Amino acid sequence: ADADVNSPVKVFVNRIPPQTSKSVVVDFFSPYGKVLAVEMVKKSETKNMVALLTIESLVAAHKAIGALHNRLALQPGPPCRVVYAEKELERLNLPPTLQPGYGSVRLFV
């Protein structure tokens, strides 16, 4: 089965400062497509959050990831990772090579 380019896609974002509101995150993504849902995951009051965004289509997700991955910085320090959420590429029958950094060595510093 081919990917349905018009079905909503989940995008994962990390390194979001703890005080960031959903609307701030939505504002960064809305130029690329309609954001249907945002789930902010807070590990603690002081640590950075992660977000799972549901964006309207594969095209919108792809554009947002291309524009924002390793460029979107919501605070001083390393920029955010903006990538397809876990299992999304599999669910859409898309190659894992679409994921930014696919096959690269991950360095944990």
Side-chain angles (χ1 to χ4, degrees), residues 6-10 22 26 29-30 33-39 52-57:
N6 294 315
S7 71
V9 175
K10 282 192 174 149
K22 280 185 185 181
V26 170
F29 284 83
S30 46
K34 189 170 186 213
V35 177
L36 306 175
V38 182
E39 188 189 336
L52 276 173
L53 267 90
T54 305
I55 199 161
E56 65 177 330
S57 67

Side-chain angles (χ1 to χ4, degrees), residues 23-94:
S23 61
V24 168
V25 177
V26 170
D27 286 348
F28 279 106
F29 284 83
S30 46
Y32 307 100
K34 189 170 186 213
V35 177
L36 306 175
V38 182
E39 188 189 336
M40 307 282 268
V41 183
K42 198 179 251 203
K43 295 195 167 75
S44 79
E45 289 305 312
T46 52
K47 290 206 167 74
N48 286 342
M49 297 186 290
V50 299
L52 276 173
L53 267 90
T54 305
I55 199 161
E56 65 177 330
S57 67
L58 180 60
V59 172
H62 198 70
K63 281 183 183 161
I65 288 168
L68 300 173
H69 175 64
N70 278 342
R71 292 192 185 93
L72 172 62
L74 297 172
Q75 60 190 334
C80 303
R81 276 183 73 223
V82 180
V83 296
Y84 290 99
E86 205 176 344
K87 305 269 190 256
E88 277 300 270
L89 291 173
E90 228 170 87
R91 180 179 72 79
L92 297 161
N93 292 313
L94 292 169

